[in-house]
Amino acid sequence: MTTENDVVTALADYKANTKTTKQIAKEKGVSKSTISVWARKARLTKRAKGRRPYTEPSVAHRKILSLVETLPMEVVGTKLGMTKQNVHRVCKRWRGWVPAKKPPFKEGDAIKWNGQFFIVVQAGITAGIVRDASGALIRNFHWRMTGKGGKECLAEKVEGTHRPKAT
């Protein structure tokens, strides 16, 4: 048995649009259609049909967003079997969730490439300045290639004490 107070609180919840009709009906012990009838009799505006939009990205979208953080959209699309446009669509939909792109390395990191060790002096997203074992600076050192070969990170970060020794 529903009371007048139940109807009033149900209509307040309906109008506030914070709960679904199903949730309100379950709380009051009535059917969804009963809530709709009460709302129509109270001359409340109808709610939009369909599911509510997501408030946060799905697991698949989060994976895309995390990859876009350091890789170009085209490479992410190729890696996940989708087009660059679909990756862009996900990034645009979750614009607030896409962190700014960060370089894969930071100043002072030791990296290894083709069996040689380098120290990162300045890091960008795709390239930077490194110091080799002889102490020479190498400018425009690319650690990411996105050509037709689809190569990703050519250099890898080295943990520990693997530092090039100046000669």
Side-chain angles (χ1 to χ4, degrees):
M1 179 100 178
T2 56
T3 63
E4 189 175 327
N5 188 36
D6 288 338
V7 175
V8 171
T9 57
L11 291 176
D13 288 341
Y14 184 91
K15 190 173 183 178
N17 204 15
T18 56
K19 298 178 184 176
T20 65
T21 306
K22 184 177 182 179
Q23 290 170 332
I24 298 169
K26 188 174 181 180
E27 285 176 6
K28 303 304 175 192
V30 296
S31 68
K32 293 188 303 182
S33 58
T34 301
I35 301 295
S36 298
V37 169
W38 290 348
R40 188 173 62 244
K41 284 183 179 178
R43 297 184 182 212
L44 297 177
T45 57
K46 286 185 176 181
R47 290 181 167 187
K49 292 184 179 183
R51 69 166 177 80
R52 292 172 179 237
Y54 290 115
T55 56
E56 56 185 51
S58 65
V59 174
H61 285 184
R62 286 180 193 212
K63 183 175 183 178
I64 292 168
L65 295 173
S66 68
L67 289 171
V68 167
E69 188 175 335
T70 56
L71 297 173
M73 289 185 194
E74 189 172 356
V75 174
V76 172
T78 303
K79 189 173 195 155
L80 299 177
M82 58 191 336
T83 63
K84 175 184 166 186
Q85 288 79 9
N86 276 339
V87 173
H88 181 266
R89 180 185 50 79
V90 170
C91 292
K92 187 175 177 185
R93 165 65 176 93
W94 300 108
R95 185 166 291 143
W97 286 77
V98 179
K101 289 189 177 186
K102 324 184 255 197
F105 308 114
K106 59 184 184 231
E107 187 178 320
D109 280 350
I111 60 172
K112 182 180 179 183
W113 181 70
N114 279 353
Q116 294 181 306
F117 295 97
F118 301 90
I119 299 294
V120 177
V121 176
Q122 185 179 17
I125 294 171
T126 59
I129 301 171
V130 296
R131 188 175 305 280
D132 66 3
S134 67
L137 283 178
I138 302 171
R139 296 184 186 281
N140 206 20
F141 184 89
H142 288 270
W143 39 66
R144 188 175 322 288
M145 300 294 287
T146 58
K148 289 187 178 181
K151 298 174 186 168
E152 291 174 20
C153 195
L154 295 176
E156 61 186 56
K157 185 175 177 180
V158 178
E159 300 294 334
T161 58
H162 299 289
R163 301 272 184 203
K165 296 176 183 168
T167 54

